């Protein structure tokens, strides 16, 4: 990344914290000044003592030394705390920006990236940038300043010493730079082995039941052993290559100290400097150690941060194929739906994201090879109408639902909602007016209230209770220890599939949409539980347009029209009563065998 | 804590001692030498010393020492990493083995993300601390040597320097309880952030459909802010402690300055002595702050140890360090015993099986049934009736609160360990696949020559799908099997079950991810499996399964409401009629 790129990034995330950054700079300069002053006090002390100076002067020097040491510590703690605070604030902002950005990306993106991978990129990569934000630039500058300060003071003592030590510093930096990259590929390999091990464990944790009940425990332990060995080997290599730099440092500083002490001895004997100055040469050489070591490491960190920044930028540069519309207004109330010669095929790399709900990924895959998933499809549902979608898995039912809330855009034709092309609507408006209830329901480890409202604090509790009452869940919720504030455990644990489904209905109730898409909403419910929510569903559908995708005939009883899809085309479309009465219709045929699926 | 560390040391004492020699003892002693050399140089210059090696020799010694120190560092790196990594591998292996020993549906002590953090972060804290346990010996040694040298120069000044070091130790000990608390809070806050991120991106479709992106991210921001403040508290406290130790050193140097002022004037304390004192006090202070750090780490290791013991979920803590093979070459050949066995299934009985989900009144109570070889028994009931719980309790995937399971009349003590292949095999409702090849996912370690894969694939109705995959059985199916559809995943799990050739096949609801046609095909094949004398226990409410069942058990609120053939039950069980009516309601409605 270019210097300008760094600058823009830092400006964006540190800019709002200008004052804290300024405070940090002051603290840093203060701590450098104290470090440079300390040896000067010691020199004064030694020279005064050697020359038999006054005891008072010596005691004052000792007092000064103590004071500067204590102040130095306070400054250092304050500096670290300020820097970390700045870093965390900036990194958290970046995390939130990334999370929001990713959430707004299209389904194709989420098809390519698993939740685990996004977690690593939003939290893991950014964690590495914490250091970049908080310390790296400031500390690098600080170390450079400290180094230059020491060299300048050495020049003041004697230009020969200054020159010699400058040459030493230049040599050390060049050597460190040359050696700096030696361990990098080995650390990368170690990190990869590490990631592999924990990826393995995470998967197995999810599958303990499968492993246990199918007698695969020894197998899992063997796989773990393979990964453990790979990790040990990679870590050992990385550690040994990793100390190349450290080992060289020991040697180099021995040379540096030898140089300072040797030069000091020569100059002292030549009468050019005092014994206190010989000591200060030694002390300043020691003082050079830390910046020299750190500058090399910080330059490497900067490279790593650049890699991390590049990954973050790449993520931020991902553009959703679904652009926001200019914001045409939608009519109030129920919304008419119109598919006008719609042609659509999934983009080649997209498998349907696990999150959006259904299980016909394979069917989509198969359809991909045969041609478009939807071919020149036209149909309409009037405002307030109810359409039942039937068809085999992979016939395009779920795809219709996905197109309707713009997880994808069609390649040909137009989809209109309330007479407005979807692409002309603001996405937010679209999402607000189209409610989707799918069979795959996701919950957060958060309160029931937040789960139902999706963290919308503006929804009054009365509305939530009303929605729960409509679904017969008010008793269940009131019996919970903390009512609406009860925190659902991870993964919605403790909820039965039926309760989960009912809560998903409650979510839709609260949003009051003009179009409801029930996407296989009842396939996991047993018939008895389903009967319990039929009344509630009827209330949900009242005054709204509805598209219901169903596997069972019971579900389509409540619709006005039936549309049967096959291979992305309409096989049959008409009023339910008429189709049922026509003995030659596919629908009537289905009723006879009692299946909602089109079988061959 | 001591027994944990001892256990780890006993596992590989050789690595532990090598690491201690290089990384603990030599590391501390090396820095004492330059002080001596610089002192000699300064004293030669001022004339305080006249004997001994000349300045060029001393300077050469400095360089030689640096070279030796550099080389020793490589030994330290290799030894320390090996000792730590071997210990980490043992801990993780034993923790993982324990997780796999637990009832499968209750295997983890917490959320998977949290469990990962124990396996990763807490294990690391412990093994890192292990490699530091010999440091106090090196620290003691360096303190002894340095003090001996300093006392020989000036006993009074030396003793005056000891005071601040003692102060640091007391202080750090007093502060330790807080360190524990702050560290734990910061770890918990981090866990909350990673859990939430996982949930957000697991539910991305739902979040988008609800238009809740901003609100969800705002919630994320709140959780992030909590983590920031917890981490900063932890950091500030650690920094303060560190600063106190460092100041103790400066205090010591200040004391030397005060006391040496007189002595230097008298010529009793040379410039070289002064340089050596400052250098040694600096190093001793660092060492004492390292010891303070060691104590801090000791406390923090205590926190991590607690978390690891908690992850054992009731097993004795010694389980963590139990001697076990951790690398492939130490493992025996892992093929399971062949199928020729004496106790083939004749009759399976469940008597009064009871399980209550913790913190609720849900579960199953007093469920009894009996299964003869070749039976096809279907369990049905509405959502929440306890069907899955019953299967799990039977198979020991949940710890039953009461009742017993009998295999051929003999009670089974540990169903979780007993009802596994070749006796029983299982397809859960939401099976989990692993990012390996399709073949490995099905075999899960079975020797390939012992499995008739084509037959297994046919039985699981996977044969047609396989033709569509570009690499057939060698297709890598991606993380958690993402490259397969839900229906395919369920059938891979069925293939897994068939491949075990078990006497008893246990199948939880197949309807969630399969279309009706494929599901019926699977029931067909399962039913056909009966000819091979397989016994089937299945949860379903589909007519395709109910019609074929020899017997049906109707569960209602965790109890057996009734059992019998479909005809009998439709005749006398209102619950069965309700379930059946719902299933075929469309048919009647259409006919009307």
């Amino acid at each position: 990344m270019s210097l300008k790129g760094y600058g823009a990034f830092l400006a964006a995330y540190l800019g709002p914290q200008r004052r804290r950054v300024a405070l940090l700079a002051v603290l840093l300069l203060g701590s450098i000044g104290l470090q440079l002053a300390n040896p000067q006090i010691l020199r004064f002390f030694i020279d005064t003592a050697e020359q038999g100076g006054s005891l008072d002067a010596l005691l004052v020097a000792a007092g000064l030394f103590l004071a500067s040491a204590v102040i130095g510590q306070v400054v250092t703690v304050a500096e670290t705390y300020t820097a970390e605070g700045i870093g965390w604030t900036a990194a958290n902002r970046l995390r939130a920006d990334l999370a929001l950005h990713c959430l707004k990306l299209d389904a194709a993106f989420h098809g390519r990236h698993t939740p685990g991978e996004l977690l690593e990129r939003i939290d893991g990569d950014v964690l590495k940038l914490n250091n970049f934000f908080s310390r790296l630039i400031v500390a690098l500058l600080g170390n450079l300043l400290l180094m230059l300060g020491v060299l300048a003071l050495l020049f003041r003592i004697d230009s020969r010493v200054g020159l010699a030590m400058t040459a030493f510093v230049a040599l050390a930096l060049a050597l460190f730079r040359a050696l700096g990259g030696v361990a990098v590929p080995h650390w990368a390999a170690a990190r990869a082995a590490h990631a592999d091990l924990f990826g393995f464990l995470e998967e197995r944790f999810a599958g303990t039941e499968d492993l246990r009940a199918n007698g695969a425990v020894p197998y899992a332990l063997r796989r773990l052993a393979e990964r453990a060995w790979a990790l040990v080997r990679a870590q050992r290599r990385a550690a040994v290559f990793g100390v190349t730099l450290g080992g060289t440092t020991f040697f180099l500083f021995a040379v540096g100290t030898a140089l300072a002490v040797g030069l000091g001895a020569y100059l002292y004997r030549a009468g050019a400097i005092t014994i206190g100055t010989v000591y200060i040469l030694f002390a300043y050489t020691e003082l050079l150690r830390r910046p020299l070591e750190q500058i090399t490491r910080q330059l490497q960190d900067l490279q790593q941060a650049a890699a991390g920044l590049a990954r973050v930028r790449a993520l931020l540069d991902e553009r959703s194929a679904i652009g926001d519309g200019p914001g045409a207004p939608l009519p109030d109330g129920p919304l008419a739906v119109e598919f006008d010669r719609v042609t659509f095929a999934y983009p080649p790399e997209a498998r349907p994201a696990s999150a959006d709900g259904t299980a016909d990924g394979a069917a989509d895959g198969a359809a991909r090879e045969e041609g478009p998933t939807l071919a020149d499809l036209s149909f309409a549902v009037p405002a307030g109408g109810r359409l039942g979608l039937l068809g085999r898995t992979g016939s395009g039912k779920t795809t219709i639902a996905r197109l309707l809330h713009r997880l994808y855009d069609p390649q040909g034709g137009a989809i209109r909602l309330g007479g407005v092309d979807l692409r002309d609507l603001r996405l937010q408006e679209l999402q607000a007016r189209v409610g989707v209830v799918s069979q795959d329901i996701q919950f957060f480890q958060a309160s029931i209230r937040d789960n139902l409202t999706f963290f919308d604090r503006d929804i009054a509790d009365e509305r939530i209770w009303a929605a729960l009452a409509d679904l017969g869940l008010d008793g269940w919720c009131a019996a919970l220890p903390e009512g609406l504030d009860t925190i659902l455990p991870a993964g919605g644990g403790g909820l039965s599939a039926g309760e989960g489904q009912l809560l998903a209905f409650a979510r839709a109730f609260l949003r009051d949409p003009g179009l409801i898409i029930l996407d296989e909403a009842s396939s996991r419910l047993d018939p008895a539980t389903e009967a319990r929510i039929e009344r509630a569903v009827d209330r949900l559908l009242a005054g709204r347009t509805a598209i219901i995708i169903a596997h069972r005939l019971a579900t389509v009883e409540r619709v006005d029209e039936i549309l049967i899809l096959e291979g992305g085309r309409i096989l049959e479309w008409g009023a339910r009563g008429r189709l049922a009465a026509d003995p030659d219709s596919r629908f009537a045929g289905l009723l006879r065998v009692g299946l909602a699926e089109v079988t061959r | 804590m001591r027994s944990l560390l001892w256990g780890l040391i006993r596992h590989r004492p050789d690595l532990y001692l090598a690491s201690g020699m290089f990384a603990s003892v030599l590391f501390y002693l090396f820095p004492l030498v330059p002080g001596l050399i610089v002192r000699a140089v300064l004293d030669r210059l001022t004339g305080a010393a006249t004997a001994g090696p000349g300045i060029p020799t001393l300077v050469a010694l400095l360089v030689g020492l640096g070279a030796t120190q550099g080389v020793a560092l490589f030994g330290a790196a290799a030894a320390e990493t090996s000792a730590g990594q071997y210990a980490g591998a043992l801990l993780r292996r034993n923790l993982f083995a324990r997780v796999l020993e637990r009832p499968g549906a209750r295997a983890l002590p917490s959320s998977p993300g949290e469990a990962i953090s124990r396996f990763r972060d807490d294990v690391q804290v412990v093994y890192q601390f292990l490699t530091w346990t010999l440091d106090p010996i090196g620290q003691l040694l360096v303190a002894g040597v340095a003090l001996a040298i300093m006392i020989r120069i000036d006993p009074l000044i030396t003793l005056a320097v000891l005071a601040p070091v003692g102060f640091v130790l007391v202080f750090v000990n007093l502060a330790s309880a807080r360190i524990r608390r702050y560290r734990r809070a910061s770890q918990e806050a981090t866990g909350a952030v990673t859990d939430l991120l996982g949930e957000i991106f697991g539910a991305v479709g739902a979040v988008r459909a609800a238009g809740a992106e901003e609100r969800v991210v705002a919630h994320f921001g709140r959780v992030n802010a909590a983590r920031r403040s917890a981490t900063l508290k932890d950091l500030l406290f650690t920094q303060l402690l560190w600063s106190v130790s460092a100041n103790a050193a400066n205090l010591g140097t200040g004391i030397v300055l005060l006391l040496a002022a007189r002595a230097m004037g008298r010529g009793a304390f040379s410039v070289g002595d002064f340089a050596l004192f400052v250098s040694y006090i600096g190093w001793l202070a660092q060492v004492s702050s390292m010891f303070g750090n060691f104590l801090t780490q000791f406390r923090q290791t205590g926190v991590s140890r607690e978390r690891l013991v908690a992850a054992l979920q009731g097993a004795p803590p010694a389980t963590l360090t139990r001697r076990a093979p951790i690398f492939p070459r130490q493992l025996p050949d892992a093929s399971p015993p062949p199928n020729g066995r004496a106790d083939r299934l004749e009759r399976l009985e469940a008597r009064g099986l009871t399980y209550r989900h913790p913190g609720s009144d849900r579960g199953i109570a007093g469920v009894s049934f009996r299964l003869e070889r070749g039976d096809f028994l279907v369990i049905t009931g509405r959502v929440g009736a306890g069907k899955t719980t019953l299967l799990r309790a039977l198979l020991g995937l949940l710890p039953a609160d009461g009742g017993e399971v009998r295999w051929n009349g003999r009670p089974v003590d540990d169903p979780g360990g007993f009802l596994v292949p070749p006796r029983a095999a299982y397809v859960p409702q939401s099976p989990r696949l692993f990012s390996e090849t399709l073949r490995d996912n099905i075999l899960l370690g079975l020797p390939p020559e012992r499995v008739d894969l084509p037959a297994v694939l046919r039985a699981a109705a996977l044969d047609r799908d396989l033709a569509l995959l570009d690499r057939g059985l060698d297709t890598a199916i991606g993380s958690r099997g993402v490259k397969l559809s839900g229906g395919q995943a369920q059938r891979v799990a069925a293939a897994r079950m068939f491949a075990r050739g078990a006497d008893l096949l246990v199948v939880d609801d197949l309807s969630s991810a399969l279309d009706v046609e494929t599901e019926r095909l699977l029931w067909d094949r399962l039913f056909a499996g009966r000819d091979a004398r397989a016994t089937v226990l299945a949860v379903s409410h589909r007519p395709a399964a109910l019609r074929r069942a020899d017997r049906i058990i109707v569960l209602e609120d965790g109890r057996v409401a009734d059992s019998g053939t479909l005809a009998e039950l439709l005749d006398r069980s209102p619950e069965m009629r309700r379930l059946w009516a719902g299933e075929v309601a469309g048919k009647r409605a259409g006919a009307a």
Side-chain angles (χ1 to χ4, degrees):
Chain A
M1 185 184 285
S2 68
L3 214 59
K4 219 175 139 190
Y6 279 127
F9 218 85
L10 286 171
Y13 286 95
L14 297 184
Q17 308 188 65
R18 227 169 275 116
R19 295 170 68 164
R20 273 197 280 172
V21 173
L23 173 66
L24 179 61
V26 171
L27 290 169
L28 188 75
L29 286 176
S31 116
I32 291 173
L34 286 169
Q35 286 183 67
L36 289 175
N38 237 328
Q40 300 284 351
I41 301 176
L42 292 181
R43 168 166 75 169
F44 169 81
F45 181 89
I46 291 172
D47 285 344
T48 311
E50 275 294 297
Q51 288 149 18
S54 79
L55 196 61
D56 285 351
L58 289 176
L59 292 179
V60 168
L64 264 179
F65 176 87
L66 272 173
S68 100
V70 171
I71 295 169
Q73 288 307 322
V74 173
V75 169
T76 307
V77 171
E79 187 212 324
T80 312
Y81 186 76
T82 313
E84 289 287 333
I86 292 171
W88 276 94
T89 304
N92 277 350
R93 269 200 56 204
L94 180 58
R95 283 190 184 95
D97 287 353
L98 280 172
L100 186 61
H101 180 76
C102 289
L103 272 176
K104 293 196 161 179
L105 287 173
D106 54 33
F109 171 84
H110 290 285
R112 290 193 303 272
H113 302 281
T114 62
E117 189 187 338
L118 290 177
L119 195 157
E120 179 57 31
R121 291 186 71 170
I122 293 177
D123 194 48
D125 282 354
V126 174
L127 203 60
K128 284 172 211 140
L129 287 181
N130 252 17
N131 185 36
F132 171 73
F133 282 127
S134 66
R135 301 209 57 88
L136 202 51
I137 301 292
V138 179
L140 186 60
L141 286 177
N143 276 323
L144 282 172
L145 276 178
L146 181 61
M147 198 175 80
L148 291 176
V150 169
L151 288 179
L153 288 171
L154 288 173
F155 265 105
R156 258 194 61 196
I157 292 167
D158 188 291
S159 59
R160 284 163 293 181
V161 178
L163 274 178
M165 292 313 283
T166 307
F168 164 71
V169 165
L171 176 78
L173 283 179
L175 199 60
F176 288 164
R177 206 175 152 68
L179 291 174
V182 169
V184 172
H186 300 286
W187 281 122
R191 269 196 303 277
H194 203 254
D196 186 42
L197 172 69
F198 289 101
F200 165 87
L201 282 174
E202 201 202 356
E203 264 191 12
R204 295 331 179 260
F205 285 167
T208 46
E209 214 183 355
D210 308 59
L211 290 172
R212 270 286 271 177
N214 289 307
V217 171
Y219 170 70
L221 287 174
R222 168 169 288 272
R223 284 282 200 253
L224 175 72
E226 287 165 8
R227 281 164 175 88
W229 181 234
L231 179 64
V232 169
R233 280 183 18 164
Q235 288 278 7
R236 197 158 42 198
R237 278 186 80 83
V240 170
F241 277 96
V243 295
T244 319
L245 198 64
T248 315
T249 311
F250 276 129
F251 178 65
L252 214 60
F253 276 101
V255 172
T257 310
L259 194 66
V261 171
L263 264 177
Y266 169 78
L267 291 173
Y268 178 78
R269 286 195 166 153
I273 56 174
T274 63
I275 192 72
T277 311
V278 177
Y279 177 78
I280 212 177
L281 289 183
F282 170 66
Y284 275 146
T285 311
E286 287 292 305
L287 201 57
L288 275 177
R289 180 188 290 261
R290 215 184 63 202
L292 272 180
E293 280 174 4
Q294 288 190 353
I295 284 171
T296 313
R297 212 188 53 230
Q298 283 162 346
L299 285 174
Q300 282 169 28
D301 285 355
L302 203 60
Q303 280 172 11
Q304 277 193 12
L309 271 185
R311 280 164 64 85
V312 166
R313 291 281 279 249
L315 197 56
L316 285 173
D317 284 344
E318 292 263 5
R319 284 284 161 259
S320 181
I322 311 289
D324 211 356
L330 271 181
D332 289 334
L335 296 165
V337 174
E338 187 189 349
F339 271 59
D340 183 2
R341 312 201 57 182
V342 170
T343 298
F344 174 75
Y346 283 100
E349 77 281 13
R351 56 175 179 78
S354 61
D356 56 18
T358 54
D360 58 1
D364 289 333
R368 199 156 61 228
E369 279 158 32
E370 291 155 13
T373 310
L374 298 183
D376 205 19
L377 183 77
S378 297
F379 69 89
V381 188
R386 295 177 184 180
L387 176 73
L389 270 183
L390 302 182
R392 251 202 298 164
T393 314
S395 57
K397 294 172 302 191
T398 306
T399 307
I400 287 179
R402 288 184 183 140
L403 291 177
L404 265 173
H405 57 105
R406 280 196 84 196
L407 283 179
Y408 298 92
D409 275 341
Q411 281 95 8
I415 302 169
R416 281 183 280 273
L417 189 66
V420 184
D421 192 306
L422 289 188
R423 285 165 290 202
D424 291 334
L425 292 169
R426 303 300 303 260
L427 277 172
Q428 218 163 359
E429 172 85 354
L430 176 69
Q431 289 160 342
R433 301 296 305 281
V434 178
V436 185
V437 181
S438 72
Q439 66 166 327
D440 189 15
I441 307 141
Q442 313 281 347
F443 290 103
F444 295 92
Q445 246 183 98
S447 67
I448 290 184
R449 177 189 294 103
D450 283 343
N451 267 294
L452 291 181
T453 63
F454 270 105
F455 305 100
D456 187 347
R457 301 278 158 96
D458 294 336
I459 296 182
D461 281 8
E462 296 79 59
R463 279 192 60 203
I464 303 176
W465 282 113
L468 289 174
D470 271 341
L471 296 164
L473 278 177
D474 47 343
W476 167 79
C477 187
L480 291 173
E482 315 228 10
L484 287 178
D485 291 318
T486 307
I487 304 285
L488 287 183
L495 293 176
S496 73
E499 282 160 358
Q501 191 75 72
L502 287 165
L503 287 175
F505 277 104
R507 275 180 179 169
F509 260 116
L510 287 172
R511 298 188 37 241
D512 195 17
L515 167 67
I516 282 273
I517 305 169
L518 288 186
D519 186 354
E520 301 186 324
S522 56
S523 69
R524 255 195 201 169
L525 292 181
D526 66 281
T529 307
E530 192 185 353
R532 192 175 143 215
I533 61 166
E534 291 214 347
R535 187 180 57 91
V537 172
D538 278 333
R539 293 188 62 167
L540 178 61
L541 299 189
R544 297 187 173 100
T545 312
I547 295 181
I548 303 175
I549 301 168
H551 276 179
R552 277 203 295 268
L553 292 178
T555 321
V556 293
E557 268 178 67
R558 55 171 69 86
V559 305
D560 314 323
E561 295 195 344
I562 293 288
L563 193 156
I564 302 180
L565 279 174
E566 184 160 282
R569 294 169 197 277
I570 295 179
L571 196 65
E572 193 168 281
W573 175 30
R576 183 173 60 87
R578 189 177 57 75
L579 290 181
D582 175 0
D584 295 333
S585 75
R586 290 296 285 257
F587 184 58
L590 282 175
L591 291 179
R592 277 193 296 278
V593 297
L595 285 177
E597 298 260 318
V598 180
T599 54
R600 68 201 78 146
Chain B
M1 178 80 132
R2 190 181 303 156
S3 63
L4 170 66
L5 294 173
W6 262 120
L8 291 174
I9 292 169
R10 270 203 308 274
H11 180 237
R12 281 304 294 266
D14 49 343
L15 291 177
Y16 176 74
L17 288 175
S19 162
M21 181 65 205
F22 277 107
S24 299
V25 176
L26 287 180
F27 170 82
Y28 287 105
L29 288 180
F30 266 125
L32 290 182
V33 190
L36 285 171
I37 299 176
V38 170
R39 171 179 180 238
V41 171
L42 290 173
D43 284 351
R44 291 289 292 221
L45 287 180
T46 55
T50 45
I55 288 180
T57 317
L58 290 170
V59 168
L61 262 178
L62 267 179
V63 176
L65 178 78
T68 319
Q69 208 175 354
V71 172
L73 199 63
F74 285 94
E80 193 176 53
T81 309
S82 297
Q85 291 292 330
Y86 276 62
L90 181 72
L91 287 172
R92 281 191 293 259
R93 187 267 171 208
N94 283 333
L95 281 170
F96 189 50
R98 174 61 187 157
V99 162
L100 294 178
E101 213 175 82
R102 293 267 307 156
R106 284 275 177 281
L108 292 177
S110 49
S111 73
E114 236 269 321
I116 283 285
S117 124
R118 293 184 200 215
F119 270 67
R120 186 181 56 207
D121 307 334
D122 293 312
V123 164
Q124 187 180 353
V125 167
V126 170
Y127 76 66
Q128 254 173 16
F129 183 73
L130 172 77
T131 61
W132 294 346
T133 45
L134 282 182
D135 279 32
I137 295 182
Q139 288 159 356
L140 215 62
L141 214 62
V142 76
V145 173
L147 286 177
I149 295 172
M150 288 158 79
I151 284 172
R152 268 189 54 195
I153 295 172
D154 193 317
L156 180 70
I157 297 179
T158 306
L159 290 175
V161 170
L162 283 179
V165 177
F167 170 73
V168 169
L169 296 187
V170 173
F171 180 83
V172 171
N173 265 314
L174 288 178
S176 62
R178 293 208 142 203
I179 294 176
R180 216 191 256 251
R181 214 173 62 215
Y182 288 136
R183 182 55 50 99
R184 200 186 314 232
S186 131
Q187 279 167 346
E188 276 165 11
T190 301
V193 168
T194 51
D195 279 357
L196 179 64
L197 262 185
E199 283 172 3
I200 289 177
F201 288 104
V204 68
V207 173
R208 285 169 58 89
E213 293 97 331
E214 264 95 8
R215 295 197 301 271
V216 167
V217 170
H219 178 64
F220 177 58
R222 286 189 289 272
V223 177
N224 260 333
R227 177 212 215 172
R228 172 183 185 271
S229 98
T231 308
L232 284 185
K233 252 184 218 155
D234 184 18
L235 179 97
L236 179 63
F237 202 70
T238 316
Q239 278 284 314
L240 276 176
L241 277 187
W242 167 83
S243 169
V244 167
S245 328
N247 259 329
N250 287 322
L251 204 64
T253 307
I255 293 170
V256 175
L257 287 178
L258 289 173
L259 297 177
R262 283 168 214 279
M264 276 175 105
R266 287 199 314 273
F269 199 74
S270 73
V271 178
D273 294 337
F274 176 78
L276 181 132
F277 263 65
V278 172
S279 151
Y280 278 20
I281 292 168
W283 182 231
L284 282 179
Q286 273 194 50
V287 169
S288 87
S289 92
M290 283 175 197
F291 182 68
N293 198 4
F294 174 86
L295 290 181
T296 312
Q297 286 301 324
F298 179 79
R299 310 285 168 199
Q300 287 171 358
T301 306
V303 175
S304 286
R305 178 198 170 269
E306 277 169 35
R307 284 165 54 86
L308 292 182
V309 170
L312 288 175
Q313 303 175 80
T319 314
L320 280 175
T321 54
R322 195 168 47 194
R323 195 167 284 278
I326 52 175
F327 298 135
R329 63 190 139 74
Q330 303 163 339
L331 280 166
D333 190 24
S335 45
N339 278 1
R341 298 172 297 107
D343 60 341
R344 301 208 67 128
L345 174 65
E346 295 299 334
R347 188 184 339 119
L348 179 77
E349 291 153 284
R351 293 187 182 173
L353 268 186
T354 299
Y355 178 82
R356 288 268 158 247
H357 289 284
S360 80
D361 56 354
R362 292 166 169 281
I364 52 166
V367 175
S368 304
F369 60 85
R370 196 171 142 144
L371 201 61
E372 302 287 345
R373 172 150 63 145
D375 271 357
F376 192 107
L377 177 66
V378 173
I379 296 165
T380 195
R382 62 176 83 184
V383 169
K387 304 182 296 278
T388 297
T389 305
L390 172 56
L391 293 191
R392 284 177 167 169
L394 176 78
L395 292 174
L397 295 170
L398 285 175
D401 296 322
E404 65 168 1
V405 177
R406 286 172 173 260
W407 180 270
N408 297 341
R410 279 188 306 280
V412 175
D413 293 331
D414 167 27
F418 186 84
L419 288 177
V420 295
R423 294 183 200 92
Y426 174 53
V427 183
Q429 195 172 15
S430 317
R432 298 298 184 156
L433 302 185
F434 308 121
S435 52
E436 300 187 5
T437 64
L438 196 53
R439 184 194 316 276
D440 284 341
N441 264 291
I442 293 173
L443 292 177
L444 289 183
L446 289 178
E449 66 276 6
R450 220 186 283 161
V451 178
D452 180 1
L453 268 175
V456 164
L457 293 170
R458 213 166 34 250
L462 259 180
D463 33 359
R464 273 193 316 172
D465 302 70
L466 206 62
L468 287 174
L469 294 171
D470 44 346
R471 304 193 56 199
L473 279 171
D474 292 318
T475 306
I477 59 168
S479 160
R480 291 190 178 177
V482 286
K483 291 189 184 152
L484 301 182
S485 74
Q488 285 172 330
Q490 203 149 27
R491 281 173 287 143
V492 170
R496 216 179 237 178
M497 174 183 76
F498 287 124
R500 321 266 119 197
D503 295 352
L504 173 66
L505 304 182
V506 183
V507 182
D508 203 346
D509 197 0
L510 286 173
S511 66
S512 59
L514 292 183
D515 60 74
V516 172
E517 192 193 343
T518 313
E519 189 189 345
R520 194 156 51 177
L521 189 62
L522 247 182
W523 287 123
D524 280 341
R525 306 238 162 127
L526 249 179
F527 194 70
R530 272 199 339 162
D531 299 341
R533 310 211 55 83
T535 312
V536 180
L537 173 62
V539 162
S540 181
H541 51 77
R542 294 288 211 214
L546 293 170
R547 283 203 181 98
R548 292 194 165 113
D550 297 311
R551 215 146 33 82
I552 298 168
I553 291 177
V554 182
L555 278 187
E556 202 176 349
D557 292 333
R559 293 172 186 280
V560 177
D562 207 340
S563 74
T565 64
L566 181 61
E568 289 164 14
L569 290 172
L570 284 178
D571 193 37
R572 67 168 187 251
S573 160
E575 178 75 357
M576 185 71 227
R577 276 201 296 273
R578 253 196 305 277
L579 291 163
W580 183 259
E583 199 59 46
V584 293
K587 196 173 175 179
R588 280 189 286 121

